[in-house]
Amino acid sequence: PVIIFNDTTLAAGINDLAFPQWVSYPQTSSHLTFGENAFAEYTFKNLHDDSPGIFFNTNHDTFILSAATNYMVASTVMKNTSSISCGINSAITQLPSGFTHRSILTAQNGIDQCYTTWGNALMALAGKTPPANDAAVELDKLGYWTDNGATYYYNINQPLGIQNTLIAIRDEYASKGVPLGYVQLDSWWYQKGSNATWNSSGGIYLYEPDPTLFPTGLADFQQRLGLPLITHSRWIDASSPYRTNYTMSANVITDMRYWTNRMAYLKSCGVVTFEQDWLSVNGTPAMSLTDGGSAYLGNMQAAAAANGINLQYCMNQGRTFMQGSLYNNLMTVRDSYDRFNSNRWKAFLFGSRIVHALGVWPWCDVFMSSETRNLLLATLSCGPVGPGDALNAVDAANLKQSARSDGVIVKPDEPLVPTEDTYVNDALGLGQPFIATGFTDHTNSLALYVFAFGEDASKLSGSFKPADFGITNNAYVYDYFAATGMVVSAGSTFNFTTTMPNDTNGGSYFIAVPIGSSGIAFLGDTNKFVTRGKKRIAEFTDTGVLRATVAFAAGETNVTLSGYAPKNPYVLAAAGVTNGLTYDTTTHLFTLNVSPDNSGTATVALSLAPLPSLQVTPVIGGQFQVSWPADAIGYLLEKTTNLSPPVVWSQSSDPVVSTNGWNVVTVTNSNSAAFYRLKQ
């Protein structure tokens, strides 16, 4: 499904590159590019030439065309009715000898699959390995943000002062059982404008803390705070001495000396992530073959990586989305406008798809912890979860739906992104509910997370098929906020009525899980938004008996698990302790409490039939009989002679005789020990 086009200039000359060039191309019903406003939001109307072009039909046949190198200067000129040509921005008039440009065409059925194939190809060309969804502290744990829309954005909270305020915030989160993993300092922390003050709207004067806010320096504050920092960065102000000390391109520094110096400084101050903002406006380099890519973003990335610092991009262009496919330490991209709220949901979710296709996790921006639906979407994004509450306003009960008591976020494997039909719906203006899905994938068992909201108050009826997302057998669909559910037979449609967007209570949230071989549908920890996230349900199998291993935070003593069963299930604790099994004969929902063993985990087994156990009985003649119920289908008898680690079990070769409803193995007594177990 992928074709790469290469063009190499054999002699220096004018920039007339147009390869490949199509004088005609398949006229799809819809197209999508990114480039609206300063945050490169999606558009189904315009064709931005620095963005990939995503073209698709109502049957989801899709092709994606973009640059595959030289992202910061590439120009893919797309015209609605005639041609597409791939080349270099016309502001660059000359190309040197030996200059190579590369473009990529991907074509498949399935918008989501085409995105995945396209992004994987670009990352393979660059040698990028996508980071895990917990690869950085801002991905793994709750954080506190002070950017635009947060309580303390350019608000130093006198007379307490910003340093003491942030320390008090840290203490409040910890005292309420939702400890912070880091704190973000937005543009207010450094010196800006011609007066070199913290509250200027200008660019960077010096990338150092304003001494009126941090009189003892940033490192001292970070040590007092005791948490890693994320620090924001702007463009360079016209009055900054950096302009005479370092090589510039427009309003940004391309000089490696600057980046090496500042990244080393940030490392010494406990900074773990550097956020480069204004990438589409003031922070844009001059249009040059080298300035934007290797000299600006490339030097920034290399210096950050050398100091163990990760990157976040903000206020992107379509080209910077693709530039991110080159950098292993670019962990997150903010693809939503300032101050996340329900007006941003659509743009964020469409943006999340392109961001994640390129090996980066999406960031929705700051919100308040009491805003349940905004918190839900942040959690489902797989990206950072970062409120910006005022002191004494932290909604810990809400945050505990997102994270464990150690602040670790319980998130999906893959982020919430629009469904195929949602692309068609929004491109054609049909007004049906917006539906987005993410998932957790335990081997052979998928937990699907579905968020939906209305786009037209007169069209609030929606539906989805679990089978379209990989749940091919009977499924149980659980309405998270109503705490009710229903069985959906294999291949059938689940119908629902949703509501219009609202930060606190808008939209609908469903969790669909398969009814496994055991006859049970395991929801997981329904006190968490992501009920089967792997930071809670570490392992899961269902091969006739359902087994789940539960991960606990240090100090957690109890987790309640839930699921659907047609009758009261049997439960066994294979590790840890289980108790308090309840079963509702009307809803067919069960709950049980589990507690960890010394390893910090618990493993439970659930079955609709009694779980089998071995019996050992002495018989005449110095023999023993090992027996277990004959209706325990799928179990094998295994044997070992030593329980000292590492224990090696092997299938017993002794003959099995079935009699009176029991499987029986007769063992002759000997002077050596033997140990037996049933293994499914």
Side-chain angles (χ1 to χ4, degrees):
V2 176
I3 300 173
I4 302 293
F5 300 89
N6 293 278
D7 182 285
T8 298
T9 301
L10 300 182
I14 63 169
N15 173 21
D16 59 358
L17 177 58
F19 177 75
Q21 183 177 43
W22 286 274
V23 296
S24 65
Y25 61 89
Q27 294 302 296
T28 58
S29 60
S30 304
H31 57 69
L32 168 68
T33 61
F34 294 86
E36 298 296 281
N37 67 42
F39 281 84
E41 289 186 2
Y42 76 99
T43 174
F44 293 112
K45 297 179 180 179
N46 299 320
L47 288 165
H48 293 280
D49 63 5
D50 72 333
S51 166
I54 300 96
F55 296 80
F56 56 94
N57 282 322
T58 55
N59 69 349
H60 310 149
D61 280 346
T62 305
F63 73 87
I64 299 177
L65 180 67
S66 78
T69 190
N70 304 312
Y71 299 116
M72 298 301 288
V73 295
S75 179
T76 305
V77 180
M78 299 166 276
K79 296 182 179 180
N80 283 321
T81 58
S82 54
S83 66
I84 302 178
S85 62
C86 302
I88 298 297
N89 192 291
S90 60
I92 296 172
T93 59
Q94 297 286 314
L95 296 178
S97 175
F99 176 79
T100 296
H101 186 59
R102 191 165 58 199
S103 300
I104 182 172
L105 172 67
T106 307
Q108 281 181 293
N109 178 258
I111 302 167
D112 189 69
Q113 183 57 55
C114 198
Y115 255 129
T116 298
T117 302
W118 168 76
N120 285 346
L122 291 185
M123 287 189 287
L125 289 169
K128 176 170 182 170
T129 301
N133 65 8
D134 61 352
V137 66
E138 64 267 29
L139 292 171
D140 190 37
K141 294 186 175 182
L142 291 175
Y144 184 78
W145 289 72
T146 64
D147 58 341
N148 191 6
T151 303
Y152 300 110
Y153 178 71
Y154 285 86
N155 171 13
I156 60 175
N157 197 32
Q158 297 288 25
L160 192 60
I162 191 62
Q163 290 195 54
N164 289 331
T165 296
L166 293 176
I167 290 170
I169 285 281
R170 173 205 65 189
D171 293 343
E172 181 182 355
Y173 272 79
S175 69
K176 291 183 174 180
V178 281
L180 295 172
Y182 64 94
V183 169
Q184 184 260 5
L185 307 182
D186 209 72
S187 57
W188 54 266
W189 77 271
Y190 49 85
Q191 302 172 51
K192 297 178 296 298
S194 58
N195 294 323
T197 57
W198 67 273
N199 57 355
S200 168
S201 60
I204 295 170
Y205 182 81
L206 291 177
Y207 195 61
E208 297 175 3
D210 187 304
T212 62
L213 302 183
F214 300 93
T216 58
L218 188 62
D220 179 72
F221 165 68
Q222 190 273 327
Q223 290 171 10
R224 291 177 57 211
L225 182 69
L227 295 173
L229 300 176
I230 294 176
T231 54
H232 175 282
S233 181
R234 283 185 176 179
W235 68 96
I236 304 302
D237 195 78
S239 63
S240 171
Y242 291 153
R243 287 184 176 263
T244 56
N245 295 337
Y246 298 108
T247 304
M248 301 282 301
S249 178
N251 292 319
V252 303
I253 296 175
T254 56
D255 198 319
M256 187 62 174
R257 294 176 301 153
Y258 170 82
W259 292 111
T260 299
N261 178 279
R262 290 297 81 191
M263 291 300 176
Y265 166 73
L266 293 178
K267 179 180 180 181
S268 72
C269 296
V271 174
V272 295
T273 296
F274 175 81
E275 177 193 357
Q276 182 59 57
D277 201 352
W278 296 86
L279 285 166
S280 62
V281 192
N282 300 33
T284 302
M287 188 58 64
S288 156
L289 289 179
T290 58
D291 283 5
S294 60
Y296 176 41
L297 297 179
N299 284 343
M300 177 196 301
Q301 178 272 332
N307 285 279
I309 293 175
N310 295 318
L311 298 176
Q312 179 181 103
Y313 286 172
C314 185
M315 290 179 70
N316 291 271
Q317 297 171 305
R319 60 182 63 130
T320 50
F321 284 141
M322 293 188 288
Q323 186 76 11
S325 69
L326 302 176
Y327 304 141
N328 283 318
N329 62 332
L330 177 64
M331 296 286 177
T332 56
V333 164
R334 176 144 78 88
D335 65 289
S336 176
Y337 210 82
D338 290 344
R339 179 51 167 100
F340 191 56
N341 58 47
S342 57
N343 292 332
R344 320 283 193 219
W345 289 358
K346 285 176 59 175
F348 173 63
L349 292 169
F350 280 123
S352 292
R353 189 63 194 91
I354 185 172
V355 168
H356 188 54
L358 296 167
V360 186
W361 298 101
W363 163 224
C364 65
D365 200 33
V366 71
F367 52 90
M368 300 301 158
S369 61
S370 60
E371 296 165 359
T372 304
R373 296 311 195 267
N374 292 336
L375 174 63
L376 170 64
L377 264 67
T379 306
L380 292 173
S381 77
C382 292
V385 177
D389 297 296
L391 264 174
N392 304 314
V394 177
D395 189 334
N398 244 11
L399 290 171
K400 287 177 181 178
Q401 295 181 91
S402 175
R404 304 184 323 197
S405 63
D406 55 0
V408 169
I409 306 164
V410 181
K411 57 175 62 175
D413 291 353
E414 294 291 319
L416 193 72
V417 295
T419 65
E420 312 266 283
D421 287 339
T422 295
Y423 281 94
V424 174
N425 172 68
D426 275 45
L428 300 180
L430 303 180
Q432 299 301 314
F434 192 106
I435 303 176
T437 63
F439 62 85
T440 300
D441 186 9
H442 290 97
T443 304
N444 299 319
S445 183
L446 197 75
L448 181 70
Y449 311 107
V450 182
F451 186 72
F453 56 91
E455 297 195 52
D456 180 333
S458 66
K459 299 178 180 179
L460 296 177
S461 296
S463 64
F464 64 89
K465 288 183 180 180
D468 288 344
F469 304 95
I471 302 178
T472 55
N473 48 332
N474 293 344
Y476 186 79
V477 179
Y478 179 74
D479 184 327
Y480 181 88
F481 291 110
T484 60
M486 63 178 292
V487 174
V488 177
S489 59
S492 296
T493 298
F494 175 75
N495 299 299
F496 62 89
T497 301
T498 188
T499 65
M500 295 299 286
N502 180 281
D503 297 338
T504 301
N505 55 16
S508 307
Y509 180 44
F510 305 103
I511 299 161
V513 295
I515 298 176
S517 300
S518 65
I520 299 170
F522 183 68
L523 290 169
D525 180 358
T526 51
N527 291 309
K528 295 286 179 283
F529 288 138
V530 182
T531 59
R532 276 175 44 175
K534 290 176 182 173
K535 291 299 173 104
R536 177 58 86 203
I537 308 301
E539 296 180 8
F540 177 81
T541 59
D542 188 343
T543 55
V545 173
L546 185 157
R547 287 181 173 83
T549 298
V550 183
F552 292 75
E556 278 186 326
T557 58
N558 182 75
V559 167
T560 301
L561 303 177
S562 300
Y564 161 86
K567 62 180 182 179
N568 198 355
Y570 294 87
V571 61
L572 172 71
V577 177
T578 180
N579 58 68
L581 175 67
T582 67
Y583 182 74
D584 188 317
T585 56
T586 302
T587 65
H588 301 289
L589 290 171
F590 66 85
T591 64
L592 68 144
N593 299 320
V594 293
S595 300
D597 60 16
N598 292 334
S599 71
T601 65
T603 299
V604 297
L606 290 160
S607 174
L608 296 181
L611 293 167
S613 60
L614 287 175
Q615 295 186 14
V616 180
T617 307
V619 294
I620 298 172
Q623 295 179 319
F624 290 85
Q625 287 184 338
V626 180
S627 57
W628 66 97
D631 60 3
I633 304 299
Y635 286 87
L636 297 174
L637 184 67
E638 293 189 338
K639 177 181 179 180
T640 188
T641 59
N642 194 325
L643 292 180
S644 298
V647 182
V648 178
W649 293 92
S650 58
Q651 185 176 344
S652 172
S653 60
D654 298 315
V656 179
V657 177
S658 294
T659 178
N660 298 323
W662 289 84
N663 291 326
V664 179
V665 169
T666 301
V667 180
T668 300
N669 194 11
S670 68
N671 292 327
S672 61
F675 303 89
Y676 292 87
R677 72 175 186 182
L678 283 179
K679 176 71 172 179
Q680 189 184 52

